[in-house]
Structures are given as structure tokens and as C-alpha cells.
Amino acid sequence: MSLIIPVDDEITLRLVNWAERHAALEALQLMVYADNAHAIALFRKVGFVEIGCFPQRTKFGPGRYKDDVTMWRDVRNTSEREVP
């Protein structure tokens, strides 16, 4: 089962800014439908990178599937960042 959360620029920026201020957090990871170009562009704009794709991961009915793209963003101090 997938949890679908609508996103926009403000929510995404608030999440990233909050995460960057909390030293216990090192990275953010999310999944987005591969055909959601708007969301993928938004996440790239704030520094997320694609790290994988799950073909036909989400089923919507008989023979109806969508691919999921996994995206990742480092939120540690910039001197410590490594891309996976």
C-alpha cells in the first residue's frame, strides 16, 4: 500500500530546511511515481537525486501498474556530503 502525500514548493522547502537544522538526520528519501514529472522536477530543484526505480511497484487494478522512482537528498553539513 502506498501513502500518497501531495507536495508543493513550500512544503518541500520547509521539510528540507527543517531536516538540515536537525543534526540527527543525515538524509531524506522518498518515492514518486515515475510519470509525475512535476514532482520529480520539484524534488530535483531542491537537491534530490534519483537513486533507483521499481518497475510496476504500485498496482492500481488488473494489469494497471506504475513505476516508482526513489530519490535521495543529503541533509548533513555540506563538507560531509556523499552521493550514494
Side-chain angles (χ1 to χ4, degrees):
M1 179 176 175
S2 295
L3 175 62
I4 300 172
I5 301 171
V7 296
D8 63 21
D9 291 19
E10 183 179 347
I11 291 170
T12 304
L13 288 173
R14 283 177 181 246
L15 172 65
V16 169
N17 289 336
W18 179 87
E20 288 176 334
R21 291 191 313 268
H22 290 79
L25 297 176
E26 295 185 355
L28 298 174
Q29 184 173 319
L30 58 87
M31 295 182 83
V32 60
Y33 294 133
D35 63 354
N36 191 342
H38 174 76
I40 291 172
L42 169 63
F43 296 133
R44 284 181 181 152
K45 185 168 85 172
V46 296
F48 282 85
V49 294
E50 295 177 29
I51 60 169
C53 181
F54 292 88
Q56 299 185 359
R57 186 163 192 273
T58 305
K59 185 174 183 175
F60 288 91
R64 295 180 48 227
Y65 299 88
K66 283 192 179 190
D67 297 348
D68 285 347
V69 172
T70 301
M71 300 184 80
W72 176 91
R73 187 188 190 285
D74 193 330
V75 292
R76 294 174 291 180
N77 181 313
T78 56
S79 64
E80 300 174 16
R81 289 190 180 171
E82 293 177 25
V83 175

